[in-house]
């Protein structure tokens, strides 16, 4: 373990703006303050003014680094010394691997078989030990538990964790501090760490901005949970968005319900089109998961017409040998 | 034609730093001042400190917009009124199309059959008329001449033109104004517009920086011209770099000979590896052509070890359905 760093106070409730600002101060030196990009060509095509907060340029290639470092910094020396454990299809795993590397403790990442090769390689490059499980939640949890018993490390949940939610919220903090007066702020939603943190920050910093979660129709648990006010799960997740197959978390659900304005679901076909549009016009690499908010604009042009729309580009970790176009 | 803009004075000799600074002032409002990016992960892997000047984020997706606008702004009203003509495998064509759009005159782009579909589409999106020719220089020139006879427009050569050379030099001007004390400055070379302009600027602004042209072994006319001091041409160009198949220009050759320190040639295999490395680690889309300087570093690690190396990322216009990995 590296020399002792200052520890973040433990959160026993959903974070508020103050908590998220404190987390931002703590993690600032470890993360990139990612740029906000625009594209005249995409604006012309979609008929609105889009601001892209580019977390594909974040360390490890996604926003997940924010939450993972935030959670790791809240652990005591005792909790930290045997290392960090998580299960992840990739991006959160990379975030935890980086957090462990920064703090000088071992990391154990349980990944489903068939995970994107470049994501597995990246975890290993950050010094993590990758343990494979079957591609379902039951096997993920069982394997993670076994690893916990064996190594006695601390488990960092990908989203159902207040420190993770606060960490992901720091992205919106940077975004809304620089880009004022957005009519809409769009983020993809899977477990709800990013969307929850984003909504908390946005409702306090910019109450007139509508916060919208976007998800594939093929994994629409949040949409169904939001409108039924009961936590639902996905039975099948036949979506190209490998980062959005998880279910909304228990800690995340009430935050989404209380702070998010709407959930929009989109078709797979539009997601692929949106991904290709961003690659071709902006020359940046984005994952299918973060093409989802762009797809939401494409499928709802009237709603967003002539509005200023913020979009969180969540990550850029793609298997370049398996592109959908 | 749009309302008359101030005209650039005609250059009757190779541009010097003053000329290039004047061109930069003239074209500034029409171009993006592109960012300089770095990647710790690539630096660690290659053992040096690389600064990437990202012209893939330039308008039309490549540095060619600089030269095309520079050349168009040097034309008289009389020369401009019937529009602009060029031949191009894509990027220069897009640059000329944008220049015509800005100045409100028609543009005619002669493109070889088999040009990348997205480049053809982009020219058309900027309002150009695309005319196809056979994929060889003879057919390009003949077709361009026919179009010139028909429409009486002004021909803008892709590189053998002092205004184009000066325009391309503005990229190095921005680069070296922001990034001082580079040990090396690397650019790909095809016709020599970019390399020529870059070398003129660098030798005056930063005389200790070594300027190196990089090209595929499969299209090594500049290497052979540089070392024989006689202008050579490529018989075959079996390279993936669609932007680097042209031959060094007559106006460009003496500039390269007088101001460039060395030419490095690289293997196709390394170019593809370099392209993939930049895509995966930096999450930006670069063309094979601009992976060539990165490949040169990969093949010559000892030379660049612990040095500060500037690399001009020339463009990001790639056919996403035809990736080499």
């Amino acid at each position: 373990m590296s020399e002792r760093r200052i520890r973040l106070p433990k959160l026993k409730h959903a974070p508020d703006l103050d908590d998220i600002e404190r987390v931002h101060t703590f993690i600032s030196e470890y993360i990139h303050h990612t740029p906000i990009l625009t594209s005249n060509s995409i604006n012309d095509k979609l008929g609105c003014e889009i601001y892209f907060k580019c977390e594909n340029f974040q360390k490890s290639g996604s926003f997940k680094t924010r939450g993972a470092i935030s959670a790791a910094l809240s652990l005591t020396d005792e909790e930290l010394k045997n290392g960090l454990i998580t299960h992840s299809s990739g991006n959160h795993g990379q975030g935890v691997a980086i957090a462990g590397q920064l703090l000088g403790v071992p990391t154990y990442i349980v990944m489903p078989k068939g995970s994107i090769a470049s994501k597995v390689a990246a975890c290993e490059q950050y010094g993590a030990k990758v343990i494979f499980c079957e591609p379902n939640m039951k096997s993920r949890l069982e394997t993670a538990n076994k690893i916990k018993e064996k190594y006695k490390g601390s488990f960092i949940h990908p989203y159902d964790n207040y420190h993770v939610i606060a960490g992901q919220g720091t992205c919106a903090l940077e975004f809304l501090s620089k880009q004022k007066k957005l009519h809409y702020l769009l983020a993809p939603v899977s477990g709800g760490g990013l969307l929850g943190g984003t909504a908390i920050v946005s409702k306090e910093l910019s109450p007139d901005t509508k916060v919208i979660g976007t998800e594939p129709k093929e994994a629409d648990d949040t949409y169904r949970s939001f409108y039924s006010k009961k936590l639902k799960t996905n039975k099948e997740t036949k979506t190209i968005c490998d980062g959005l197959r998880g279910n909304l978390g228990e800690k995340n659900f009430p935050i989404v319900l209380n702070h998010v304005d709407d959930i929009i679901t989109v078709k797979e076909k539009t997601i692929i089109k949106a991904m290709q549009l961003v690659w071709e016009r902006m020359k940046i690499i984005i994952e299918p998961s973060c093409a989802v908010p762009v797809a939401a604009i494409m499928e709802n042009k009237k709603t967003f017409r002539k509005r200023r729309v913020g979009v969180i580009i969540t990550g850029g970790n793609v298997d370049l040998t398996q592109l959908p176009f």
Side-chain angles (χ1 to χ4, degrees), chain A residues 124-145:
Chain A
E124 289 172 339
Q125 199 198 318
Y126 297 126
K129 185 174 166 61
V130 173
I131 304 101
F132 289 100
C133 67
E134 295 306 313
N136 59 59
M137 198 45 75
K138 188 165 165 278
S139 169
R140 273 200 197 196
L141 295 175
E142 283 173 5
T143 313
N145 277 336

Side-chain angles (χ1 to χ4, degrees), chain A residues 53 64-65 87 115 140 152 186 205 223 271 283 321:
Chain A
K53 171 74 172 162
K64 293 276 191 179
T65 301
H87 58 77
S115 290
R140 273 200 197 196
K152 318 283 178 211
L186 271 58
L205 269 189
Y223 177 83
I271 297 171
K283 315 298 177 193
T321 63

Side-chain angles (χ1 to χ4, degrees), chain A residues 154-213:
Chain A
S154 282
F155 181 76
I156 297 184
H157 195 281
Y159 45 84
D160 204 357
N161 172 317
Y162 290 136
H163 290 280
V164 170
I165 296 169
Q168 319 306 30
T170 62
C171 173
L173 197 64
E174 288 171 20
F175 199 176
L176 294 170
S177 310
K178 285 220 166 165
Q179 196 56 51
K180 315 258 185 226
K181 298 190 180 170
L182 291 175
H183 295 104
Y184 292 97
L185 179 50
L186 271 58
V189 55
S190 177
L194 178 71
L195 182 60
T198 300
I200 292 166
V201 168
S202 185
K203 286 299 146 188
E204 288 205 51
L205 269 189
S206 178
D208 293 338
T209 301
K210 284 195 176 170
V211 178
I212 300 186

